[in-house]
Amino acid sequence: MFKLNLAEEATKLVGSTAQDTVNAAGQAAQQVVDQVTEAGQKALDDVCKNAQDAGEKAVQSVTTQMTAWGKSFGQSEEKKNVSS
């Protein structure tokens, strides 16, 4: 009743092992892709944050300079009016 076909069982075992190897390699490759993607996203986030920080500092610097010029101009106009 029970018939064991060694060749068929060996083929199943080898086929299963080969498929397991392919699956493991695929999973390893996917992990590498995920890590590279995550690292790339982090690098991009850092670049954007640094650019935003630099932009905000530039705006603050220009605003400070404009305020200083405005005060300086206002003072020089007051001196002109006083001496007139």
Side-chain angles (χ1 to χ4, degrees):
M1 288 207 247
F2 182 70
K3 188 175 183 184
L4 182 62
N5 185 338
L6 291 178
E8 184 178 322
E9 292 302 317
T11 301
K12 286 180 184 176
L13 181 62
V14 169
S16 176
T17 302
Q19 185 62 47
D20 290 345
T21 302
V22 169
N23 290 346
Q27 288 173 352
Q30 185 61 49
Q31 287 176 345
V32 169
V33 168
D34 291 346
Q35 289 172 350
V36 168
T37 301
E38 186 177 326
Q41 186 61 51
K42 184 179 181 328
L44 183 59
D45 290 347
D46 288 348
V47 166
C48 289
K49 183 180 182 320
N50 289 338
Q52 182 179 6
D53 290 348
E56 288 172 359
K57 286 178 183 176
V59 167
Q60 185 178 15
S61 177
V62 168
T63 302
T64 301
Q65 188 60 48
M66 294 287 289
T67 301
W69 286 340
K71 286 180 181 178
S72 176
F73 180 75
Q75 288 173 352
S76 66
E77 288 297 310
E78 288 174 9
K79 287 180 184 176
K80 285 182 185 177
N81 290 337
V82 170
S83 56
S84 300

Coordinates of all heavy atoms in Angstrom, one line a residue:
M1 N 0.8 -1.2 0.0 CA 0.0 0.0 0.0 C 0.8 1.3 0.0 O 0.5 2.2 -0.7 CB -0.9 0.0 1.2 CG -2.0 -1.0 1.2 SD -3.2 -0.4 2.1 CE -3.8 -0.9 3.3
F2 N 1.8 1.3 0.8 CA 2.6 2.5 0.9 C 3.9 2.3 0.0 O 4.6 1.3 0.2 CB 3.0 2.7 2.4 CG 3.9 3.9 2.5 CD1 3.3 5.2 2.4 CD2 5.2 3.8 2.9 CE1 4.1 6.3 2.5 CE2 6.0 5.0 3.0 CZ 5.4 6.2 2.9
K3 N 4.0 3.1 -0.9 CA 5.2 3.0 -1.8 C 6.0 4.2 -1.7 O 5.5 5.3 -1.8 CB 4.6 2.8 -3.2 CG 5.6 2.5 -4.3 CD 4.9 2.2 -5.6 CE 5.9 1.8 -6.6 NZ 5.2 1.7 -7.9
L4 N 7.3 4.0 -1.5 CA 8.2 5.1 -1.3 C 9.0 5.3 -2.6 O 9.7 4.4 -3.0 CB 9.1 4.9 -0.1 CG 10.1 6.0 0.2 CD1 9.4 7.3 0.6 CD2 11.0 5.5 1.3
N5 N 8.9 6.4 -3.2 CA 9.7 6.7 -4.4 C 10.8 7.6 -4.0 O 10.6 8.8 -3.8 CB 8.8 7.3 -5.4 CG 9.5 7.5 -6.8 OD1 10.7 7.6 -6.8 ND2 8.7 7.6 -7.8
L6 N 12.0 7.1 -3.8 CA 13.1 7.8 -3.4 C 13.5 8.9 -4.4 O 13.9 10.0 -3.9 CB 14.3 6.9 -3.2 CG 14.2 5.9 -2.0 CD1 15.4 5.0 -1.9 CD2 14.0 6.7 -0.7
A7 N 13.5 8.7 -5.6 CA 13.8 9.7 -6.6 C 12.9 10.9 -6.5 O 13.3 12.1 -6.6 CB 13.8 9.1 -8.0
E8 N 11.6 10.6 -6.4 CA 10.6 11.7 -6.3 C 10.8 12.5 -5.0 O 10.8 13.7 -5.0 CB 9.2 11.1 -6.3 CG 8.1 12.1 -6.3 CD 6.7 11.5 -6.4 OE1 6.5 10.5 -7.1 OE2 5.8 12.1 -5.7
E9 N 11.1 11.8 -3.9 CA 11.3 12.5 -2.6 C 12.6 13.3 -2.7 O 12.6 14.4 -2.1 CB 11.4 11.5 -1.5 CG 10.0 10.8 -1.2 CD 8.9 11.8 -0.8 OE1 9.2 12.7 0.0 OE2 7.8 11.6 -1.3
A10 N 13.6 12.8 -3.3 CA 14.9 13.5 -3.4 C 14.7 14.8 -4.2 O 15.2 15.8 -3.9 CB 16.0 12.6 -4.0
T11 N 13.9 14.6 -5.3 CA 13.6 15.8 -6.2 C 12.9 16.9 -5.4 O 13.2 18.1 -5.5 CB 12.8 15.4 -7.4 OG1 13.6 14.4 -8.1 CG2 12.6 16.5 -8.4
K12 N 11.9 16.4 -4.6 CA 11.1 17.4 -3.8 C 12.0 18.1 -2.8 O 11.9 19.3 -2.6 CB 10.0 16.7 -3.1 CG 8.8 16.3 -4.0 CD 7.8 15.6 -3.1 CE 6.6 15.1 -3.9 NZ 5.7 14.3 -3.1
L13 N 12.9 17.3 -2.2 CA 13.8 17.9 -1.2 C 14.7 18.9 -1.8 O 14.9 20.0 -1.3 CB 14.6 16.7 -0.5 CG 15.5 17.2 0.6 CD1 14.8 17.8 1.8 CD2 16.3 16.0 1.2
V14 N 15.4 18.5 -2.9 CA 16.3 19.4 -3.6 C 15.6 20.6 -4.1 O 16.0 21.8 -3.9 CB 17.0 18.7 -4.7 CG1 17.8 19.7 -5.6 CG2 18.0 17.6 -4.2
G15 N 14.4 20.4 -4.7 CA 13.6 21.6 -5.2 C 13.2 22.5 -4.0 O 13.3 23.7 -4.2
S16 N 12.8 21.9 -2.9 CA 12.5 22.7 -1.8 C 13.7 23.5 -1.2 O 13.6 24.7 -0.9 CB 11.9 21.8 -0.7 OG 11.6 22.5 0.5
T17 N 14.8 22.8 -1.2 CA 16.0 23.5 -0.7 C 16.4 24.6 -1.6 O 16.8 25.7 -1.2 CB 17.2 22.5 -0.6 OG1 16.7 21.4 0.3 CG2 18.4 23.1 0.0
A18 N 16.3 24.4 -2.9 CA 16.7 25.4 -3.9 C 15.7 26.6 -3.7 O 16.1 27.8 -3.8 CB 16.6 24.9 -5.3
Q19 N 14.4 26.3 -3.6 CA 13.5 27.4 -3.4 C 13.7 28.2 -2.1 O 13.6 29.4 -2.1 CB 12.0 26.8 -3.4 CG 11.0 27.9 -3.4 CD 11.0 28.8 -4.6 OE1 11.1 28.3 -5.7 NE2 11.0 30.1 -4.4
D20 N 14.1 27.4 -1.1 CA 14.4 28.1 0.2 C 15.6 29.0 0.1 O 15.6 30.1 0.6 CB 14.7 27.1 1.3 CG 13.4 26.3 1.7 OD1 12.3 26.7 1.4 OD2 13.6 25.2 2.4
T21 N 16.6 28.6 -0.7 CA 17.8 29.4 -1.0 C 17.4 30.6 -1.7 O 17.8 31.7 -1.4 CB 18.8 28.6 -1.7 OG1 19.1 27.4 -1.0 CG2 20.1 29.4 -2.0
V22 N 16.6 30.5 -2.8 CA 16.1 31.6 -3.6 C 15.3 32.6 -2.7 O 15.5 33.8 -2.7 CB 15.3 31.2 -4.8 CG1 14.6 32.3 -5.4 CG2 16.2 30.4 -5.8
N23 N 14.4 32.0 -1.9 CA 13.6 32.9 -1.0 C 14.5 33.7 0.0 O 14.3 34.9 0.2 CB 12.6 32.1 -0.2 CG 11.5 31.5 -1.1 OD1 11.3 32.0 -2.2 ND2 10.8 30.6 -0.6
A24 N 15.5 33.0 0.6 CA 16.4 33.6 1.5 C 17.2 34.7 0.8 O 17.4 35.8 1.4 CB 17.3 32.6 2.2
A25 N 17.7 34.4 -0.4 CA 18.4 35.5 -1.1 C 17.5 36.7 -1.4 O 18.0 37.8 -1.3 CB 19.0 34.9 -2.4
G26 N 16.3 36.4 -1.8 CA 15.3 37.5 -2.1 C 15.1 38.3 -0.9 O 15.0 39.5 -0.9
Q27 N 14.9 37.7 0.3 CA 14.7 38.4 1.5 C 15.9 39.2 1.9 O 15.8 40.4 2.3 CB 14.4 37.4 2.7 CG 13.0 36.8 2.5 CD 12.7 35.7 3.6 OE1 13.6 35.3 4.3 NE2 11.5 35.2 3.6
A28 N 17.1 38.7 1.7 CA 18.3 39.4 2.0 C 18.4 40.7 1.1 O 18.8 41.7 1.5 CB 19.6 38.5 1.9
A29 N 18.1 40.4 -0.2 CA 18.2 41.6 -1.1 C 17.2 42.6 -0.8 O 17.5 43.8 -0.8 CB 18.0 41.1 -2.6
Q30 N 16.0 42.2 -0.4 CA 15.0 43.2 0.0 C 15.4 44.0 1.3 O 15.2 45.2 1.4 CB 13.6 42.5 0.3 CG 12.5 43.4 0.6 CD 12.2 44.4 -0.6 OE1 12.1 44.0 -1.7 NE2 12.1 45.7 -0.3
Q31 N 16.1 43.3 2.2 CA 16.6 44.0 3.4 C 17.6 45.1 3.0 O 17.6 46.2 3.6 CB 17.2 43.0 4.4 CG 16.1 42.2 5.1 CD 16.7 41.1 6.0 OE1 17.9 40.8 5.9 NE2 15.9 40.5 6.9
V32 N 18.5 44.7 2.1 CA 19.5 45.7 1.6 C 18.8 46.9 1.0 O 19.1 48.0 1.2 CB 20.5 45.0 0.6 CG1 21.3 46.1 0.0 CG2 21.3 44.0 1.4
V33 N 17.8 46.6 0.1 CA 17.1 47.7 -0.6 C 16.4 48.6 0.5 O 16.4 49.8 0.4 CB 16.0 47.1 -1.6 CG1 15.1 48.2 -2.0 CG2 16.7 46.5 -2.7
D34 N 15.7 47.9 1.5 CA 15.1 48.7 2.5 C 16.0 49.6 3.3 O 15.8 50.7 3.6 CB 14.3 47.8 3.5 CG 13.1 47.1 2.9 OD1 12.7 47.5 1.8 OD2 12.7 46.1 3.5
Q35 N 17.2 49.0 3.6 CA 18.2 49.8 4.4 C 18.8 51.0 3.5 O 18.9 52.1 4.1 CB 19.4 48.9 4.8 CG 19.0 47.9 5.9 CD 20.1 46.9 6.2 OE1 21.0 46.8 5.5 NE2 19.9 46.1 7.3
V36 N 19.0 50.7 2.3 CA 19.5 51.8 1.4 C 18.4 52.9 1.2 O 18.7 54.0 1.3 CB 19.9 51.2 0.0 CG1 20.2 52.3 -1.0 CG2 21.2 50.3 0.2
T37 N 17.2 52.4 1.1 CA 16.1 53.4 1.0 C 16.0 54.2 2.2 O 15.8 55.5 2.2 CB 14.8 52.7 0.7 OG1 14.9 51.9 -0.5 CG2 13.6 53.6 0.5
E38 N 16.0 53.6 3.4 CA 15.9 54.3 4.6 C 17.1 55.3 4.8 O 16.9 56.4 5.2 CB 15.9 53.3 5.8 CG 15.7 53.9 7.1 CD 15.6 52.9 8.3 OE1 15.2 51.8 8.0 OE2 16.1 53.2 9.4
A39 N 18.3 54.8 4.5 CA 19.5 55.7 4.6 C 19.4 56.9 3.6 O 19.7 58.0 4.0 CB 20.8 54.9 4.3
G40 N 18.9 56.6 2.4 CA 18.7 57.7 1.4 C 17.7 58.7 1.9 O 17.8 59.9 1.8
Q41 N 16.6 58.2 2.5 CA 15.5 59.1 3.0 C 16.0 59.9 4.1 O 15.8 61.1 4.2 CB 14.3 58.3 3.4 CG 13.1 59.2 3.8 CD 12.6 60.0 2.7 OE1 12.3 59.5 1.6 NE2 12.5 61.3 2.9
K42 N 16.8 59.3 5.0 CA 17.4 60.1 6.1 C 18.3 61.2 5.6 O 18.3 62.3 6.1 CB 18.1 59.1 7.1 CG 18.7 59.9 8.3 CD 19.4 58.9 9.3 CE 19.9 59.6 10.5 NZ 20.3 61.0 10.4
A43 N 19.2 60.8 4.6 CA 20.1 61.8 4.1 C 19.3 63.0 3.4 O 19.7 64.1 3.6 CB 21.0 61.2 3.0
L44 N 18.3 62.6 2.7 CA 17.4 63.7 2.1 C 16.8 64.5 3.1 O 16.7 65.8 3.0 CB 16.4 63.0 1.2 CG 15.5 63.9 0.4 CD1 16.3 64.8 -0.5 CD2 14.5 63.1 -0.4
D45 N 16.3 63.9 4.2 CA 15.6 64.7 5.3 C 16.6 65.6 5.9 O 16.3 66.8 6.2 CB 15.1 63.7 6.3 CG 13.8 63.0 5.9 OD1 13.3 63.3 4.8 OD2 13.5 62.0 6.6
D46 N 17.9 65.1 6.1 CA 18.9 66.0 6.7 C 19.3 67.2 5.8 O 19.4 68.3 6.3 CB 20.2 65.2 7.0 CG 20.0 64.2 8.2 OD1 19.0 64.3 8.9 OD2 20.9 63.3 8.3
V47 N 19.4 66.9 4.5 CA 19.7 68.0 3.6 C 18.6 69.0 3.6 O 18.8 70.2 3.6 CB 19.9 67.4 2.1 CG1 19.9 68.5 1.1 CG2 21.2 66.6 2.1
C48 N 17.3 68.6 3.6 CA 16.2 69.5 3.6 C 16.2 70.3 4.8 O 15.9 71.5 4.8 CB 14.9 68.7 3.4 SG 14.7 68.1 1.7
K49 N 16.4 69.7 6.0 CA 16.4 70.4 7.3 C 17.5 71.4 7.3 O 17.3 72.6 7.7 CB 16.6 69.4 8.4 CG 16.5 70.1 9.8 CD 16.6 69.1 10.9 CE 16.5 69.7 12.3 NZ 17.1 71.0 12.5
N50 N 18.7 71.0 6.8 CA 19.8 72.0 6.8 C 19.6 73.1 5.9 O 19.9 74.3 6.2 CB 21.1 71.2 6.4 CG 21.6 70.3 7.5 OD1 21.3 70.4 8.7 ND2 22.4 69.3 7.1
A51 N 18.9 72.9 4.7 CA 18.6 73.9 3.8 C 17.6 74.9 4.4 O 17.7 76.1 4.3 CB 18.1 73.4 2.5
Q52 N 16.6 74.3 5.1 CA 15.6 75.1 5.7 C 16.2 76.0 6.8 O 15.9 77.2 7.0 CB 14.5 74.2 6.3 CG 13.3 75.0 7.0 CD 12.2 74.1 7.5 OE1 12.3 72.9 7.5 NE2 11.2 74.7 7.9
D53 N 17.0 75.4 7.7 CA 17.7 76.1 8.7 C 18.5 77.3 8.1 O 18.5 78.4 8.7 CB 18.6 75.2 9.6 CG 17.8 74.2 10.4 OD1 16.6 74.4 10.5 OD2 18.4 73.3 11.0
A54 N 19.3 77.0 7.1 CA 20.1 78.0 6.5 C 19.2 79.1 5.9 O 19.6 80.3 6.0 CB 21.0 77.4 5.3
G55 N 18.1 78.8 5.3 CA 17.2 79.8 4.7 C 16.6 80.6 5.8 O 16.5 81.9 5.7
E56 N 16.2 80.0 7.0 CA 15.7 80.8 8.1 C 16.7 81.7 8.6 O 16.4 82.9 9.0 CB 15.2 79.8 9.1 CG 13.9 79.1 8.7 CD 13.4 78.1 9.7 OE1 14.1 77.8 10.7 OE2 12.4 77.4 9.5
K57 N 18.0 81.3 8.7 CA 19.0 82.1 9.3 C 19.3 83.3 8.3 O 19.6 84.4 8.7 CB 20.3 81.3 9.5 CG 20.2 80.4 10.7 CD 21.5 79.6 10.9 CE 21.3 78.6 12.1 NZ 22.5 77.7 12.2
A58 N 19.3 83.0 7.0 CA 19.5 84.0 6.0 C 18.4 85.1 6.1 O 18.7 86.3 6.1 CB 19.5 83.5 4.6
V59 N 17.1 84.7 6.2 CA 16.0 85.6 6.4 C 16.2 86.4 7.6 O 16.0 87.7 7.6 CB 14.7 84.9 6.4 CG1 13.6 85.8 6.8 CG2 14.4 84.3 5.0
Q60 N 16.6 85.8 8.7 CA 16.8 86.5 10.0 C 17.9 87.5 9.9 O 17.8 88.6 10.3 CB 17.1 85.5 11.1 CG 17.2 86.1 12.5 CD 17.4 85.1 13.5 OE1 17.8 83.9 13.3 NE2 17.3 85.5 14.8
S61 N 19.0 87.1 9.2 CA 20.1 88.0 9.0 C 19.7 89.2 8.2 O 20.1 90.4 8.5 CB 21.3 87.3 8.3 OG 22.3 88.1 8.1
V62 N 19.0 89.0 7.1 CA 18.6 90.1 6.2 C 17.6 91.0 7.0 O 17.7 92.2 6.9 CB 17.9 89.6 4.9 CG1 17.2 90.7 4.2 CG2 18.9 88.9 4.0
T63 N 16.7 90.4 7.7 CA 15.8 91.2 8.5 C 16.5 92.1 9.6 O 16.2 93.3 9.7 CB 14.7 90.3 9.3 OG1 14.1 89.5 8.3 CG2 13.7 91.1 10.1
T64 N 17.5 91.5 10.2 CA 18.2 92.2 11.2 C 19.0 93.4 10.5 O 19.0 94.5 11.0 CB 19.2 91.3 11.9 OG1 18.5 90.2 12.5 CG2 20.1 92.0 12.9
Q65 N 19.6 93.1 9.4 CA 20.3 94.1 8.6 C 19.4 95.2 8.2 O 19.8 96.4 8.3 CB 21.1 93.5 7.4 CG 22.0 94.4 6.8 CD 23.1 95.0 7.7 OE1 23.8 94.2 8.4 NE2 23.3 96.3 7.7
M66 N 18.2 94.9 7.7 CA 17.3 95.9 7.2 C 16.8 96.8 8.4 O 16.7 98.0 8.2 CB 16.0 95.2 6.6 CG 16.3 94.4 5.3 SD 16.7 95.5 3.9 CE 15.1 96.1 3.6
T67 N 16.6 96.1 9.5 CA 16.2 96.9 10.7 C 17.3 97.9 11.1 O 17.1 99.1 11.4 CB 15.9 96.0 11.9 OG1 14.8 95.1 11.5 CG2 15.5 96.7 13.1
A68 N 18.6 97.4 11.1 CA 19.7 98.2 11.4 C 19.8 99.4 10.4 O 20.0 100.5 10.8 CB 21.0 97.4 11.4
W69 N 19.7 99.1 9.1 CA 19.7 100.2 8.1 C 18.6 101.2 8.3 O 18.8 102.4 8.2 CB 19.7 99.6 6.7 CG 20.9 98.9 6.3 CD1 22.2 99.0 6.8 CD2 21.0 97.9 5.2 NE1 23.0 98.2 6.1 CE2 22.3 97.5 5.1 CE3 20.1 97.4 4.3 CZ2 22.8 96.6 4.2 CZ3 20.5 96.4 3.4 CH2 21.8 96.0 3.3
G70 N 17.4 100.6 8.6 CA 16.3 101.5 8.8 C 16.5 102.4 10.0 O 16.2 103.7 9.9
K71 N 17.0 101.9 11.1 CA 17.3 102.8 12.2 C 18.4 103.8 11.9 O 18.3 104.9 12.3 CB 17.7 101.9 13.4 CG 16.6 101.1 14.0 CD 17.1 100.3 15.2 CE 16.0 99.4 15.8 NZ 16.4 98.6 16.9
S72 N 19.4 103.3 11.2 CA 20.5 104.2 10.9 C 20.0 105.3 9.9 O 20.3 106.5 10.1 CB 21.6 103.4 10.2 OG 22.6 104.3 9.7
F73 N 19.2 105.0 9.0 CA 18.6 106.0 8.0 C 17.7 106.9 8.8 O 17.8 108.1 8.6 CB 17.8 105.3 6.9 CG 17.2 106.2 5.9 CD1 18.0 106.8 5.0 CD2 15.9 106.5 6.0 CE1 17.5 107.7 4.1 CE2 15.3 107.4 5.1 CZ 16.1 108.0 4.1
G74 N 16.9 106.4 9.7 CA 16.0 107.3 10.5 C 16.8 108.2 11.3 O 16.5 109.4 11.5
Q75 N 17.9 107.8 11.9 CA 18.7 108.7 12.7 C 19.4 109.7 11.9 O 19.5 110.9 12.3 CB 19.8 107.9 13.5 CG 19.2 107.0 14.6 CD 20.2 106.1 15.3 OE1 21.3 106.0 14.8 NE2 19.8 105.5 16.3
S76 N 19.9 109.4 10.7 CA 20.5 110.3 9.8 C 19.5 111.4 9.4 O 19.9 112.5 9.2 CB 21.2 109.7 8.7 OG 20.3 109.1 7.8
E77 N 18.3 111.0 9.1 CA 17.2 111.9 8.7 C 16.9 112.9 9.8 O 16.7 114.1 9.6 CB 16.0 111.2 8.2 CG 16.1 110.5 6.9 CD 16.4 111.5 5.8 OE1 15.7 112.5 5.6 OE2 17.4 111.3 5.0
E78 N 16.9 112.3 11.1 CA 16.6 113.2 12.2 C 17.7 114.2 12.4 O 17.5 115.4 12.7 CB 16.5 112.4 13.5 CG 15.3 111.5 13.6 CD 15.3 110.6 14.8 OE1 16.2 110.7 15.7 OE2 14.3 109.8 14.9
K79 N 19.0 113.8 12.2 CA 20.1 114.8 12.3 C 20.0 115.9 11.2 O 20.3 117.0 11.5 CB 21.4 114.0 12.1 CG 21.8 113.2 13.4 CD 23.1 112.5 13.2 CE 23.3 111.6 14.4 NZ 24.6 110.8 14.2
K80 N 19.5 115.5 10.0 CA 19.4 116.5 9.0 C 18.3 117.5 9.4 O 18.4 118.7 9.2 CB 19.0 115.8 7.6 CG 20.1 115.1 7.0 CD 19.6 114.6 5.6 CE 20.6 113.7 5.0 NZ 20.1 113.1 3.7
N81 N 17.2 117.0 9.9 CA 16.1 117.9 10.3 C 16.5 118.8 11.5 O 16.0 119.9 11.5 CB 14.8 117.0 10.7 CG 14.2 116.4 9.5 OD1 14.4 116.8 8.3 ND2 13.5 115.3 9.7
V82 N 17.3 118.3 12.4 CA 17.7 119.1 13.5 C 18.6 120.2 13.1 O 18.4 121.4 13.5 CB 18.4 118.2 14.6 CG1 19.0 119.1 15.7 CG2 17.4 117.2 15.2
S83 N 19.5 120.0 12.2 CA 20.4 121.0 11.8 C 19.9 122.0 10.8 O 20.4 123.0 10.6 CB 21.7 120.3 11.2 OG 21.3 119.5 10.1
S84 N 18.7 121.7 10.2 CA 18.1 122.6 9.3 C 17.5 123.8 9.9 O 17.1 124.0 10.9 CB 17.0 121.9 8.5 OG 17.5 120.9 7.8

